[in-house]
Structures are given as C-alpha cells and as structure tokens.
Amino acid sequence: MAKKDLTLVRVLRFGDEGKDVLAVKRMTSRAGVDFPKQVKEDGKFNERFGRKFETAIKRFQRKRGLI
C-alpha cells in the first residue's frame, strides 16, 4: 500500500476491521511502541483492531503526549 493510497476517513476503535486498520497497524509497528511487524497468517493479514493493537496505540499516545 502506497502512502498516496491511504486516506483515513473514520476514527478507528476496538473491534473495527479493514484495510485502514491494517495500514495503521503497519505504521504503529514502525513507531517504536513495541508492536510487531504485520505478517500474513494463513495467507492473509489480520485486519482487526484487537487488544494488542489497542495497547500499542495507547502507548503511542502516551509517548507523544496525546489523549
């Protein structure tokens, strides 16, 4: 996915699914908040906003002073 292909149009929340969730997961894995690089499981990527991702997002927000 190229940067030009990414247009976030919704606020992501726990339980959401989709390509936008996967895109943010990929960005989060590069943000230095101890979230693993996304790899395929059973031939596809996990596009679900789950607990581990929620924890990583909260770490990112604290690290950057965000609410």
Side-chain angles (χ1 to χ4, degrees), residues 23-64:
V24 176
K25 280 182 160 187
R26 287 178 174 164
M27 288 184 259
T28 304
S29 71
R30 294 185 291 252
V33 291
D34 194 31
F35 188 70
K37 180 180 175 183
Q38 297 303 290
V39 295
K40 288 185 178 182
E41 297 174 9
D42 298 324
K44 61 182 182 176
F45 289 104
N46 178 343
E47 297 179 352
R48 185 171 178 279
F49 193 133
R51 291 280 179 224
K52 290 180 183 179
F53 183 51
E54 181 180 50
T55 300
I57 290 294
K58 288 179 180 181
R59 273 195 305 265
F60 176 82
Q61 289 171 330
R62 277 193 306 273
K63 185 176 180 179
R64 302 282 188 227

Side-chain angles (χ1 to χ4, degrees), residues 3-41:
K3 288 181 184 179
K4 65 182 174 104
D5 296 330
L6 178 63
T7 303
L8 297 177
V9 294
R10 65 178 172 144
V11 174
L12 301 177
R13 291 184 171 81
F14 180 80
D16 285 345
E17 295 184 23
K19 300 267 185 236
D20 50 351
V21 175
L22 179 59
V24 176
K25 280 182 160 187
R26 287 178 174 164
M27 288 184 259
T28 304
S29 71
R30 294 185 291 252
V33 291
D34 194 31
F35 188 70
K37 180 180 175 183
Q38 297 303 290
V39 295
K40 288 185 178 182
E41 297 174 9

